[in-house]
Amino acid sequence: MTLGLTLFFYWLSLAWVRLVRLDASIKVNVATLFIISPFVVYPFVYSPVWWLRGLTGDLSLTTTVLLVAAVYVKLFDKKLIATKERKLMLWSVVGFGVVFYPLALGVGQLDPYVWGYANVYMLGMVLGLSLLLFLRQYYVFATTLLLAVLAWNVGLLQSVNLWDYLLDPFIFFYALLRLLR
């Protein structure tokens, strides 16, 4: 699934248009996406999306959802995710990443990465957390978790581990830098 990487290049081009032309309208933004699409996306043999995918692998569903929100903001100048919910998402990513990555790299006896291989308890925890977030009216975050489980169940990404659908180093470092700023 290269949707996340495609969205990243779309966001990058829209950010560049915003730098060059501060008063860019929706028409200019949409035209920019149509112009760069043939060079970024699939038909092009040496597409930057496929090149970056070869280096990094697929992006998680959390990253993809945040990229959809970022492209939406750049296109229409309206927020898709409320500030409070976005902060909760970023804090959650940082919290899980700070605990998860050192443990997955071998610091300590516990390896949470193993739980991502069809562990019923982890699946139940993610779905329960999604339900709790939905009841607290954090709809985008709840939908993100639900989409990650559904995509994992279908096998949408290269990985067979649920953690790779929920978290990746790019979103972790982005969230960490965003919260530190």
Side-chain angles (χ1 to χ4, degrees), residues 4-178:
L5 294 170
T6 304
L7 287 168
F8 170 72
F9 282 106
Y10 282 167
W11 174 82
L12 200 62
S13 64
L14 289 173
W16 179 76
V17 166
R18 191 66 58 101
L19 269 173
V20 172
R21 192 171 168 182
L22 294 174
D23 61 336
S25 66
I26 294 174
K27 290 179 184 178
V28 171
N29 290 335
V30 171
T32 302
L33 294 184
F34 276 115
I35 290 170
I36 69 158
S37 286
F39 301 106
V40 170
V41 195
Y42 312 101
F44 187 51
V45 177
Y46 298 106
S47 167
V49 168
W50 291 102
W51 179 77
L52 192 59
R53 184 177 186 221
L55 285 174
T56 64
D58 290 321
L59 297 178
S60 68
L61 265 290
T62 309
T63 307
T64 304
V65 167
L66 288 175
L67 280 169
V68 165
V71 168
Y72 186 83
V73 166
K74 294 282 184 194
L75 273 176
F76 303 112
D77 215 14
K78 295 179 185 174
K79 288 187 177 182
L80 192 62
I81 303 174
T83 306
K84 190 175 178 182
E85 184 173 8
R86 190 168 189 277
K87 271 191 172 180
L88 178 66
M89 285 180 83
L90 294 178
W91 276 110
S92 299
V93 165
V94 168
F96 277 112
V98 163
V99 172
F100 172 75
Y101 282 122
L103 289 175
L105 291 173
V107 176
Q109 296 294 321
L110 188 63
D111 185 11
Y113 193 75
V114 174
W115 301 342
Y117 294 109
N119 186 336
V120 177
Y121 299 115
M122 180 171 169
L123 193 60
M125 182 192 73
V126 171
L127 291 175
L129 185 60
S130 177
L131 179 64
L132 179 68
L133 288 167
F134 186 79
L135 292 175
R136 300 279 296 164
Q137 297 178 346
Y138 294 123
Y139 299 120
V140 175
F141 196 7
T143 306
T144 302
L145 294 178
L146 188 63
L147 284 176
V149 170
L150 289 174
W152 171 74
N153 209 6
V154 173
L156 200 58
L157 301 180
Q158 292 171 333
S159 177
V160 294
N161 194 305
L162 181 58
W163 281 109
D164 294 329
Y165 289 79
L166 295 170
L167 196 61
D168 63 43
F170 299 109
I171 192 64
F172 171 71
F173 287 117
Y174 168 76
L176 187 64
L177 291 174
R178 186 79 178 181

